[in-house]
Amino acid sequence: MWLIDLVENLLSITRIENGNIQINKEAQLINEIVLEAMHHISKDSADHIIQLDLSDEFIFVKIDARLIMQVIINIVDNAIKYTPPGSEIWIHTRQKENLVEIQIADNGPGIPDEVKAHVFEMFYSGANKVADSRRSLGLGLSLCKSIINAHEGEITVSDNQPHGTIFTITLPAGEVQLHE
C-alpha cells in the first residue's frame, strides 16, 4: 500500500503540474468539504483532539471537492503523524473579502524555520520520521501545493504560538448562480 500511495502521489503531482488532469470546479460549501474530509482522517486521530471552528456563514468556493478534501486530509493526517498523542488540532474556515481561508493548526513541536522554506518541495522531508519508522518521502505537501496552485489559490506554513504549526489555504471565493 505504501508503494502504491507513492506512485499515485507522483503521478498526481505530474498530471496536475502538466495540466493533464481534469479539474472539475463547482461551487461548494467549504464547511461541507471540511466535514466530509473529517470522515476520512487516519484511524490514529483517536489519540488527538480535533476541534472544528467553522464559519457560521454559508461560504461557497469554486473547487474540485475531491481534490480539496485530499489536501485537508493530508494536512490533518500530517498533524496527527508529527504531533504527540493528546495534541490538539484546530480547523478554522472563514471568508476574507473575495477569498476563502482554511487554517489547520496544531500545538505540536512545530516546524523549524529552515525546514519551512522547503516543506512544499517534492521529496523534501526534513528530519521527520513517520510513526512506523519509515522515512517520509516528502510528496504529500508537494501534492497539496500542486492542487492548491491548480485552483489559483495559495498554501502557506507558519508558527502557531506558543508552539505548533499553522497551514493556511487560501482559495478564491465562489459564487452561486440561482436558476429559477
Side-chain angles (χ1 to χ4, degrees):
M1 284 308 295
W2 177 79
L3 189 56
I4 290 170
D5 287 345
L6 165 67
V7 172
E8 286 178 353
N9 280 339
L10 276 172
L11 287 172
S12 295
I13 292 168
T14 303
R15 287 181 186 135
I16 290 170
E17 290 185 351
N18 290 338
N20 294 336
I21 193 169
Q22 184 68 30
I23 296 179
N24 301 312
K25 294 182 186 177
E26 295 179 0
Q28 303 280 341
L29 283 167
I30 196 60
N31 290 352
E32 294 296 320
I33 301 304
V34 171
L35 291 170
E36 181 62 27
M38 292 300 97
H39 293 293
H40 302 281
I41 295 301
S42 164
K43 294 181 287 288
D44 297 333
S45 67
D47 295 335
H48 291 70
I49 301 161
I50 299 176
Q51 298 182 30
L52 302 179
D53 178 21
L54 306 180
S55 173
D56 292 335
E57 301 174 27
F58 291 109
I59 301 175
F60 285 92
V61 62
K62 195 166 187 174
I63 56 170
D64 184 316
R66 179 182 54 85
L67 293 175
I68 298 301
M69 272 193 287
Q70 184 60 49
V71 170
I72 295 167
I73 292 165
N74 191 323
I75 294 171
V76 173
D77 279 347
N78 277 353
I80 291 166
K81 192 184 306 181
Y82 295 118
T83 61
S87 295
E88 295 182 38
I89 300 165
W90 301 271
I91 303 172
H92 308 277
T93 60
R94 65 180 171 179
Q95 185 163 353
K96 294 171 75 173
E97 298 176 16
N98 60 344
L99 298 173
V100 174
E101 188 177 89
I102 306 163
Q103 283 193 329
I104 302 169
D106 66 63
N107 65 348
I111 300 173
D113 289 340
E114 62 273 9
V115 174
K116 278 190 206 83
H118 302 284
V119 294
F120 298 110
E121 294 174 8
M122 196 179 309
F123 300 117
Y124 186 82
S125 61
N128 289 328
K129 300 275 187 192
V130 290
D132 63 359
S133 78
R134 276 196 304 243
R135 188 165 171 78
S136 170
L137 289 176
L139 291 175
L141 290 176
S142 179
L143 177 58
C144 290
K145 185 166 183 66
S146 295
I147 290 170
I148 298 303
N149 287 346
H151 282 82
E152 298 168 14
E154 183 180 26
I155 183 169
T156 60
V157 61
S158 59
D159 291 329
N160 193 10
Q161 297 302 326
H163 53 85
T165 304
I166 302 172
F167 281 89
T168 302
I169 300 162
T170 308
L171 297 163
E175 295 180 14
V176 176
Q177 296 180 357
L178 300 175
H179 302 283
E180 297 181 19

